Amino acid sequence: MNISYNWLKSYVDFDWAPEELADRLTMAGLEVEGIEAFESIPGGLDGVVVGEVKTCVKHPGADKLKVCTVDIGEDELLNIVCGAPNVAAGQKVPVATVGTMLHPIEGSPFQIKKAKIRGEASAGMICAEDELGLGNGHDGIIVLPADTPVGTPAAEIFDVEIDTILEIGLTPNRVDAASHLGTARDVAALLRQPIKFPPTPETDAAVDNPFEIELPEVDRCARYAGIYIEGVTIKPSPKWLQIRLQSIGLRPINNVVDITNFVLHELGQPLHAFDADRLRGQKVVVKTLPEDIKFSTLDDIERTIRAGKDLMICDAEGPVAVAGVMGGQNSEVEDNTTNVFLESAYFEPSGIRKTASHLGLKTDASFRFERGVDPHMALKAALRATALILEYAGGKASAPLDVQRSRFKDYEVKLDLAFAKRLIGSDLGTGTIIEILNALEIEVAEQTETYLDLRVPPYRVDVQRPQDILEEILRIYGYNNVPRPAQNSLALNFNQFLDAFSLRQKYFDQLAANGFNEILTCPLVPAHLAGETTVTLANALTVDMAVLREDMLRTGLDTIEYNQRFGNFNLRLSEFGKTYHKGGEKYLENEWIVLFATGASLPAHWAGKQPKSGFYTLKREMERMVRLFGLKVEEKEIQGNDRLAYGLELGRGEKVVARFGRVANAQMQGRDIKNEVFYAEIDWNELTRLYKKTKVKYQPVPKFPSIQRDISMIVPDSTTYASIRAAIFSCNPKLIREVSITDVYKGESIGAGKKSYLVTLTLLDEKKTLTVKAADKTMNRVFQKLESDFGVEIRK
């Protein structure tokens, strides 16, 4: 949710800078996830000033150009070459000075520089409308009124609005704050100030309301207000209204529709404007339908409406809108609309939530209705919108029809003051508690020495218990302001069970130290990935988030693709997550750690080429993992499947702890990923199972020196290093401590179908100094083993 700093200040007085406001809102429970600058004209016309053309003569080397001298209020006149047909001496014009960055309507931004145009020096630019981003006009330069002062910043002339937009990550329980007024309530409570509520004047009932409203399904729609406005003129909204909507990311459409969107984001109450002349029979009925039908919504998509389930707004002959979600094409306000029927209602939340989910249609209206809007706001919002429509679209309005089939009562909560003190951990004082409750518009109906009887307004759907009341008190009082207790009781308990969380954090610390950035992806994936074992959500939010993932490869590739769109090609990523599938009648959940590597493995350096991430990038990480957890595992080659083109499995017996390798081409098809991707997945449950069985045994540091020997060998292509390594260890496991490969070579000099390995052995005797004779004896045994078992040719 986007909140405009300037807009917010129209409802409550505060002098906090945007950054301080963001901090205070976050501490009060409205987490600000981002702060962005907004300019009603891109660039804010910074560097553009009013100039006066003193002279204007024909360019000596070009028929269509003119050379002008321009006064911008500085000591020297500017020499500017201009190609506009209407430029002339004596004009007041907008001038972009050298260094100004212009943001034209079409094309990329560009900077004004000193230049020579056909031999004539030019130090600035006299601008047209589209070059300043003010409109589409390009027939000539903008000519300002003759009395405009020279040197005046253009931002003052064209009323550029500079604003700051706060992006608030609204939690599902705080629908009351899903508007500027709702956010202002929290600011006002923090400051203990009153809200400046926007005007909602009663209409003069200049015309009769010809419509009749029927609410046959009271449990689905308990309140519906409608106002008829005739004689409106559909046209663009006033500039201030367009700026308000643009600042929070909305596109202006026309005055009537823009006003309904403005009131929605101002008061949190969704509205809908119908073309009254397209509503048949002058009747509005809110009901479900007796049979399934096809219905075209405003986004030009035909959708299936379910009989008896999806609430619809109907006229005398049929449906005209999906209640609480989106209007229909057959009743939308168009350029030739002259009469409007304005709707403002309260719909039962769960029904709207199910309909929006079924239709795969999430709108600003459904977002609020499905969480529970303020039932008392329906008429106020309708009156507010009507007043604005009359002001900016003209016409005459009827008195409102406000049909209510039930009365909405405040929530009654009894707060035990002793309970409050115990749960808070400190005695804030009854006076402070009451002051905060009043600031939150929570009424204290009765007060005694031991409890408070409270009345919570119905727009606070998340405050219905004493615990909720205490949460409200604390977030306004400030969690950081609660004093620490004089004494803390702390019991240290020996836990014989595995602390899997700490173990995981230890491993992720190692990954971070080796250049892996941790990511967190959504476990919900599109419906078309569903299979026989897939877990499907009963009430999916959208078709793109309809089933639970069965593996973590896809969501990781999505992250890589997203990053590469922004130019991040060199990636090392790690993630801890879960996968889900059905096994017969059971639902199974597994935990995984996955790694991704793609692009360059090191930053660019003058001394050489950037090495690329590859198979051995992940192999090194797997070896580090095995050492960290003290595991004894076996390697098994992966020949290739639909997920990995090649790779290795690490496991013990039939149990696989990890597998890694290059991602198969089948997984990369249709993706805009530039480089090969290497992937590892670690079965966290299996790893922790093996880790529990691992016994740590202390081994003293060797007192005697080790000996290193190299073996250069030529082996058949089919022979794996893993088998060579195992064979070497088997020759004398007491003396041979380490075996590592230091070079691999293929080429014509050693023949086709062969490769060369250079392997280094470390030999050590813990009980005595290892002699050269004993080392040679072990090496000869290794040579014989390799030659007899693999046909290895030792290069001596």
Side-chain angles (χ1 to χ4, degrees), residues 146-356:
D147 59 351
T148 308
V150 170
T152 303
E156 297 179 11
I157 303 296
F158 297 105
D159 296 326
V160 176
E161 179 162 343
I162 309 297
D163 199 355
T164 302
I165 307 305
L166 308 181
E167 182 185 349
I168 296 179
L170 200 64
T171 52
N173 63 313
R174 288 301 309 275
V175 68
D176 65 288
S179 65
H180 284 76
L181 180 70
T183 304
R185 281 192 177 113
D186 272 8
V187 176
L190 291 169
L191 293 168
R192 313 294 195 271
Q193 287 186 7
I195 286 282
K196 293 186 287 187
F197 201 91
T200 56
E202 292 282 349
T203 60
D204 293 334
V207 295
D208 292 333
N209 193 332
F211 286 87
E212 177 185 352
I213 298 173
E214 295 181 6
L215 306 179
E217 300 186 39
V218 180
D219 58 329
R220 298 291 299 274
C221 177
R223 185 175 191 181
Y224 192 100
I227 298 177
Y228 173 70
I229 310 169
E230 71 175 20
V232 300
T233 301
I234 304 300
K235 57 185 178 182
S237 298
K239 185 177 179 180
W240 71 266
L241 179 53
Q242 293 190 39
I243 290 174
R244 282 284 184 258
L245 297 180
Q246 289 167 347
S247 70
I248 59 172
L250 296 183
R251 179 177 60 87
I253 298 172
N254 61 52
N255 48 1
V256 171
V257 174
D258 291 351
I259 285 168
T260 62
N261 284 331
F262 171 80
V263 174
L264 163 66
H265 288 276
E266 179 184 51
L267 303 180
Q269 171 66 42
L271 305 170
H272 186 68
F274 297 95
D275 185 326
D277 296 331
R278 300 173 71 180
L279 297 179
R280 298 154 295 189
Q282 296 185 331
K283 178 180 288 190
V284 175
V285 185
V286 186
K287 63 180 181 179
T288 55
L289 304 178
E291 58 185 26
D292 291 358
I293 65 162
K294 298 290 185 181
F295 182 74
S296 294
T297 46
L298 285 173
D299 56 359
D300 199 24
I301 296 177
E302 188 177 67
R303 292 181 159 86
T304 300
I305 304 301
R306 301 169 299 174
K309 294 183 178 180
D310 299 322
L311 193 66
M312 302 295 289
I313 311 297
C314 304
D315 61 14
E317 299 182 22
V320 293
V322 183
V325 182
M326 185 177 282
Q329 283 187 333
N330 59 353
S331 61
E332 68 176 312
V333 171
E334 297 178 330
D335 291 345
N336 59 355
T337 297
T338 56
N339 301 317
V340 168
F341 180 79
L342 184 65
E343 162 197 288
S344 183
Y346 175 83
F347 300 112
E348 189 273 324
S350 65
I352 303 301
R353 183 165 57 248
K354 292 173 183 176
T355 294

Side-chain angles (χ1 to χ4, degrees), residues 101 130 175 189 245 277 295 331 339 357 373 387 407 457 529 566 583 598 654 691 713 723 726 732-733 735 749 779 783:
M101 184 67 73
D130 64 333
V175 68
L245 297 180
D277 296 331
F295 182 74
S331 61
N339 301 317
S357 177
V373 300
R407 297 295 172 183
L529 298 176
F566 289 88
T598 184
E654 297 297 319
Y691 180 75
M713 65 186 85
S723 59
N732 194 338
L735 290 187
S749 61
M779 292 302 297
F783 295 154

Side-chain angles (χ1 to χ4, degrees), residues 460-537:
R460 289 308 306 268
V461 295
D462 60 322
V463 183
Q464 301 182 28
R465 306 173 303 160
Q467 295 90 332
D468 301 330
I469 294 291
L470 295 180
E471 182 182 359
E472 290 298 294
I473 293 169
L474 278 172
R475 72 182 185 85
I476 300 301
Y477 182 79
Y479 289 97
N480 52 328
N481 293 325
V482 177
R484 292 184 178 183
Q487 288 183 321
N488 286 320
S489 298
L490 180 64
L492 295 177
N493 232 359
F494 172 72
N495 188 351
Q496 62 179 334
F497 300 104
L498 173 69
D499 184 357
F501 176 78
S502 298
L503 192 66
R504 192 173 81 229
Q505 289 301 108
K506 182 179 180 181
Y507 181 45
F508 272 92
D509 287 344
Q510 175 177 289
L511 290 172
N514 291 315
F516 282 82
N517 292 308
E518 188 173 357
I519 62 173
L520 180 64
T521 60
C522 180
L524 299 175
V525 295
H528 68 81
L529 298 176
E532 292 183 1
T533 60
T534 305
V535 179
T536 303
L537 298 187

Side-chain angles (χ1 to χ4, degrees), residues 87 116 132 333 338 488 521 600 618 648 696 709 793:
V87 65
K116 274 200 172 184
L132 294 178
V333 171
T338 56
N488 286 320
T521 60
L618 293 186
L648 288 177
V696 179
R709 294 288 177 88
E793 178 185 341

Side-chain angles (χ1 to χ4, degrees), residues 5 8-9 12-22 24 187 191 193:
Y5 179 83
L8 187 66
K9 293 194 76 171
V12 60
D13 291 323
F14 61 89
D15 56 5
W16 300 327
E19 293 74 16
E20 184 179 359
L21 172 65
R24 289 180 179 268
V187 176
L191 293 168
Q193 287 186 7

